[in-house]
């Protein structure tokens, strides 16, 4: 036997019909329909106030929003945007604030930007593709040990005040860190550090690997003290 499908409005009408017959008490009637007594009395009150249309579901949206943008302020902002389409929200606020001292509360720049987006006053920019030299070929590997990368990861001072330049050797395909060694300078070729690295770790496929070296500044910095690195064959 298939399950019977009922709509909420149908159940509410049946609930009212059973309530008029006065066959069940309010507690028994609410138990039969799987609702609390508070919900049962709520539907009775809505029916008495609005009839059958009062049993329909009501919107759950808030009726009042205290921080909602005023319509007059929104129109003023949109007019200023149309007059100066190249100005952003922050500049428009700075332009309007001294010219309208009667307005006490102004929205944030992010709120103004959302308003312009909803009104279609902002055109989305095309995402720029990252520029890359046409001669640069991105490294592609098909398995471990196809390509090892050698890189200097910034610099720091040790306790005796001498700079230390961490040199790392990693597998490009698996991102596995093979070695990390402190070097006294980046001017010397890191081939010596490469030669001190043992053979591929257990579980790596044996391939005839090649190694490249580069010099990158430390994370969060705007540059580096040294600007060269040697390459490993």
């Amino acid at each position: 036997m298939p399950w019977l499908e009922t709509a909420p409005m149908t159940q509410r009408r049946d609930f009212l019909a059973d309530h008029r017959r006065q066959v069940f008490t309010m507690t028994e009637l609410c138990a039969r329909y799987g609702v609390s007594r508070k919900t049962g009395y709520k539907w009775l009150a809505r029916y008495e106030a609005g009839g059958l249309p009062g049993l329909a579901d009501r919107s759950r949206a808030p009726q009042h929003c205290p921080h909602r943008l005023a319509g007059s302020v929104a129109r003023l902002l949109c007019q200023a945007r149309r007059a100066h389409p190249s100005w952003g929200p922050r500049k428009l606020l700075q332009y309007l604030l001294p010219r309208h001292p009667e307005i006490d509360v102004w929205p944030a720049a992010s709120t103004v930007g959302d308003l312009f987006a909803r009104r279609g006053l902002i055109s989305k920019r095309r995402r720029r593709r990252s520029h890359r030299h046409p001669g640069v070929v991105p490294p592609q590997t098909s398995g471990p040990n196809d390509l090892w990368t050698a890189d200097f990861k910034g610099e720091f001072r040790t306790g005796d005040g001498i700079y230390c330049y961490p040199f790392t050797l990693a597998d490009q395909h698996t991102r596995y860190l093979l070695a990390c060694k402190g070097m006294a300078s980046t001017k010397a070729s890191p081939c010596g550090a490469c030669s001190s690295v043992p053979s591929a770790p257990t579980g790596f496929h044996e391939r005839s690997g090649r190694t490249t070296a580069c010099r990158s500044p430390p994370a969060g910095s705007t540059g580096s003290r040294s600007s060269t690195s040697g390459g490993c064959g």
Side-chain angles (χ1 to χ4, degrees):
M1 180 178 179
W3 291 99
L4 296 178
E5 296 183 1
T6 58
M9 285 292 295
T10 304
Q11 289 187 340
R12 292 163 192 168
R13 293 193 189 99
D14 295 343
F15 178 87
L16 292 172
D18 291 342
H19 181 265
R20 292 196 201 96
R21 297 190 187 99
Q22 297 183 354
V23 178
F24 306 101
T25 63
M26 192 62 178
T27 302
E28 295 172 345
L29 186 60
C30 292
R32 286 176 60 89
Y33 285 89
V35 297
S36 63
R37 293 181 59 189
K38 180 180 179 180
T39 302
Y41 283 116
K42 178 186 71 174
W43 293 120
L44 291 177
R46 288 191 181 181
Y47 176 75
E48 294 177 358
L52 288 177
L55 301 178
D57 291 332
R58 297 179 179 178
S59 174
R60 298 177 181 269
Q63 299 180 359
H64 176 66
C65 183
H67 56 275
R68 183 177 181 179
L69 185 61
S72 58
V73 178
R75 287 191 296 271
L76 187 63
L77 289 167
C78 292
Q79 291 174 1
R81 173 67 180 184
R82 294 186 182 97
H84 305 279
S86 61
W87 291 5
R90 196 178 303 276
K91 188 172 182 178
L92 287 173
L93 287 173
Q94 295 176 355
Y95 170 79
L96 293 175
L97 193 145
R99 289 169 173 79
H100 298 275
E102 69 279 2
I103 300 178
D104 298 330
V105 180
W106 288 91
S110 58
T111 304
V112 177
D114 294 340
L115 171 66
F116 292 162
R118 292 195 302 268
R119 301 292 177 86
L121 298 177
I122 295 179
S123 58
K124 294 184 178 181
R125 296 181 179 179
R126 294 182 59 183
R127 188 173 182 179
R128 295 183 178 180
R129 298 181 60 182
S130 59
H131 296 283
R132 180 175 293 179
H133 192 278
V136 176
V137 180
Q140 296 181 357
T141 58
S142 59
N145 285 339
D146 271 357
L147 177 66
W148 286 1
T149 58
D151 190 11
F152 285 98
K153 298 295 184 181
E155 68 272 342
F156 63 91
R157 287 183 183 269
T158 57
D160 53 2
I162 301 177
Y163 272 97
C164 177
Y165 301 88
F167 170 80
T168 61
L169 190 65
D171 181 71
Q172 175 69 20
H173 187 78
T174 62
R175 304 295 183 180
Y176 187 88
L177 183 63
L178 300 171
C180 181
K181 184 177 181 180
M183 305 290 288
S185 174
T186 61
K187 295 181 180 179
S189 173
C191 293
C194 294
S195 62
S196 63
V197 177
S199 58
T202 304
F204 275 43
H205 302 289
E206 294 185 359
R207 296 173 181 264
S208 57
R210 62 189 189 279
T211 309
T212 61
C214 61
R215 173 71 169 95
S216 61
S221 67
T222 56
S224 58
R225 299 179 69 252
S226 302
S227 59
T228 61
S229 68
C232 298

